[in-house]
Amino acid sequence: MMSDRDRNKKELLELLKQHGNSQCADCGIPEPEWASYTLGIFVCLNCSGMHRNLSGISKVKSIRLDFWEDDLVERMKTQGNLVAKNHFEADVPLFYYRPQASDCMVLKDQWIRAKYEREEFTGVDSQRQAAYTSGKRVGELWKRGRDNGTFLKRNFILSQKEGTLQYYVKEAKGPKAVIRVADLNATLQPEKVGNPNGMQISYLKDGRTRNMFVYHSKGKEIVDWLNAIRGARLQYLKEAFPTLSDSNLLPRLTRNYAMEGYMEKTGPTQREPFKKRWFTLDALDRRLMYLKDPLDAFAQGEVFIGNSECHYSVKEGLQSRSRGNRWSHGFTLVTPERAFLLTCENEQDFKQWMAAFREIILRPMSAQDYTIEATFRRRQR
């Protein structure tokens, strides 16, 4: 005879098969094995740890390891991820960043807190979204100095109306930089910045990508800054591309980089010694950048990666006359202007970089891509 424990476990596992329950309610990872019985949702192990910090709001159990009382199982039957989503995500702004399983902890933690602790998206109190929906944001962020690497407190002003992000050393002297929202990208980079709330802000300056690294002591503040930037970007894109649908605009609000990491490269004659460089691949803009250090303000070089029909390709292996590479997993990135010889430290990195390049090269180019390519070629003359 089946025990109550076994019966309840079996019923919970059956509930997991239902539409909506088969993915974590918060990050979307498949096959969650934990549940918040107070909220009636199924979550992954990682998100369950964050739910434990929601004192009095969310209480979690393991579906497989913990004992479930009959009344808790009945509650899970009447709730579930779709019911919770309809309530807690009823009014999420279009531009609000919804974290995925691969995103950093501060993004997932603040998404969970915004939904269940602050109830920002239930539609009951729209004022709770004012921090990132007002079209203007003013505050202090710790910014890394370009030369000495020290983080110093700076005043930042984001204005959706003016289409700019500015920062000041001393407000009386005017802004140190005025960044166009049109040229702006922001992405959370805790490991690179060396702070759990670290963010990388990138923009175009004189045709080159300029990187700025900032953080805030509070996770909510840095996530609010990210979403305020995304809100300003959405307004700009709607005005710049009025015929594009929301689904086409959303990937362009802000973006994480497709790949980042160290590789070795040789020079344009392909006979120079290989040197270790930090590479960043921006898949959306089809841009590969390489720097001496991950926290450099400017890249040493930038490469446009077009479509295979325009004479771009990536091939396994290096040309025979190359020399001096320490890492043996090599490939050749071919552009109309030159071939780049690159090597990876291990086979896993090699496969990931190859796959990322191939995905971009196989993707058709848009009219905007052709404009960016033309800009790259003019700079190289």
Side-chain angles (χ1 to χ4, degrees):
M1 183 175 180
M2 183 180 294
S3 68
D4 291 345
R5 182 187 185 97
D6 291 338
R7 184 187 69 250
N8 287 345
K9 176 181 175 180
K10 182 179 180 181
E11 290 186 0
L12 288 168
L13 292 174
E14 286 298 317
L15 287 176
L16 276 177
K17 298 177 183 179
Q18 294 181 5
H19 178 61
N21 293 341
S22 60
Q23 294 180 308
C24 174
D26 297 319
C27 74
I29 196 169
E31 300 179 3
E33 294 197 348
W34 289 73
S36 168
Y37 57 86
T38 51
L39 296 171
I41 57 173
F42 295 91
V43 296
C44 67
L45 173 63
N46 186 274
C47 290
S48 74
M50 299 178 205
H51 275 264
R52 292 182 189 277
N53 296 324
L54 303 182
S55 178
I57 297 172
S58 183
K59 296 182 179 181
V60 297
K61 282 178 177 282
S62 168
I63 294 171
R64 296 182 181 275
L65 302 179
D66 290 328
F67 173 74
W68 283 75
E69 294 81 358
D70 293 347
D71 60 322
L72 297 184
V73 175
E74 291 303 314
R75 175 170 174 76
M76 296 303 298
K77 289 179 180 179
T78 61
Q79 297 295 308
N81 289 2
L82 292 182
V83 172
K85 182 175 183 178
N86 289 337
H87 175 68
F88 291 107
E89 299 181 33
D91 187 31
V92 183
L94 181 63
F95 58 79
Y96 195 97
Y97 187 85
R98 296 170 179 258
Q100 305 298 308
S102 59
D103 279 312
C104 62
M105 182 174 292
V106 67
L107 279 170
K108 291 186 282 189
D109 179 64
Q110 288 304 312
W111 170 238
I112 288 170
R113 290 186 181 277
K115 284 201 294 183
Y116 310 117
E117 187 176 61
R118 300 192 293 271
E119 295 192 7
E120 291 185 18
F121 313 127
T122 59
V124 176
D125 185 1
S126 60
Q127 288 299 110
R128 297 186 180 184
Q129 300 178 7
Y132 47 85
T133 56
S134 65
K136 186 169 185 177
R137 184 168 179 81
V138 179
E140 294 179 331
L141 294 171
W142 290 88
K143 175 187 173 295
R144 187 179 189 273
R146 176 179 169 182
D147 299 320
N148 59 16
T150 302
F151 282 87
L152 299 170
K153 192 177 288 187
R154 296 289 184 252
N155 292 316
F156 282 77
I157 299 176
L158 173 70
S159 173
Q160 181 175 295
K161 182 178 179 180
E162 296 178 8
T164 60
L165 173 68
Q166 305 178 30
Y167 79 88
Y168 296 77
V169 176
K170 294 181 180 179
E171 291 193 35
K173 293 185 177 181
K176 183 72 172 178
V178 179
I179 305 164
R180 296 197 319 150
V181 168
D183 301 327
L184 184 60
N185 184 45
T187 177
L188 272 290
Q189 294 271 32
E191 291 186 9
K192 186 188 289 189
V193 178
N195 185 282
N197 305 325
M199 181 165 69
Q200 178 176 341
I201 296 173
S202 302
Y203 58 97
L204 292 180
K205 183 176 182 180
D206 301 325
R208 298 174 63 197
T209 301
R210 166 76 160 94
N211 299 311
M212 181 192 305
F213 301 94
V214 300
Y215 72 84
H216 196 282
S217 59
K218 297 179 180 178
K220 181 181 184 303
E221 288 293 316
I222 203 68
V223 174
D224 283 351
W225 270 104
L226 174 67
N227 284 303
I229 289 171
R230 287 173 61 83
R233 286 276 301 163
L234 179 60
Q235 181 63 31
Y236 155 72
L237 289 169
K238 281 183 174 291
E239 294 173 358
F241 306 100
T243 60
L244 289 185
S245 65
D246 290 343
S247 61
N248 286 322
L249 294 179
L250 286 179
R252 296 183 172 275
L253 300 188
T254 58
R255 56 199 179 274
N256 299 327
Y257 296 117
M259 285 288 295
E260 283 197 292
Y262 283 107
M263 290 191 288
E264 289 186 334
K265 69 175 288 295
T266 187
T269 69
Q270 301 176 357
R271 297 187 64 83
E272 297 90 344
F274 279 75
K275 294 181 179 179
K276 185 179 179 181
R277 295 290 181 259
W278 178 267
F279 285 81
T280 297
L281 179 60
D282 185 339
L284 185 67
D285 272 3
R286 313 182 80 114
R287 186 189 302 254
L288 176 69
M289 296 162 277
Y290 53 92
L291 311 88
K292 280 188 176 180
D293 186 270
L295 296 175
D296 282 349
F298 289 98
Q300 283 193 310
E302 300 187 33
V303 184
F304 181 82
I305 304 171
N307 180 259
S308 57
E309 296 181 358
C310 301
H311 308 293
Y312 292 86
S313 64
V314 60
K315 304 174 182 178
E316 295 188 16
L318 305 175
Q319 298 187 14
S320 59
R321 66 174 183 270
S322 64
R323 60 185 177 86
N325 55 298
R326 295 175 301 162
W327 294 344
S328 58
H329 302 277
F331 61 92
T332 303
L333 177 65
V334 180
T335 75
E337 285 72 35
R338 62 173 278 196
F340 293 84
L341 306 188
L342 305 168
T343 61
C344 299
E345 187 173 14
N346 55 63
E347 186 176 5
Q348 181 180 359
D349 288 350
F350 168 78
K351 290 181 177 179
Q352 289 177 342
W353 279 105
M354 287 286 291
F357 283 126
R358 282 172 174 159
E359 183 176 344
I360 296 173
I361 289 169
L362 291 174
R363 193 177 77 216
M365 286 171 57
S366 66
Q368 186 179 5
D369 291 334
Y370 283 107
T371 301
I372 296 173
E373 181 187 39
T375 302
F376 267 84
R377 288 184 173 180
R378 283 196 299 271
R379 281 169 44 194
Q380 294 170 351
R381 290 172 184 168

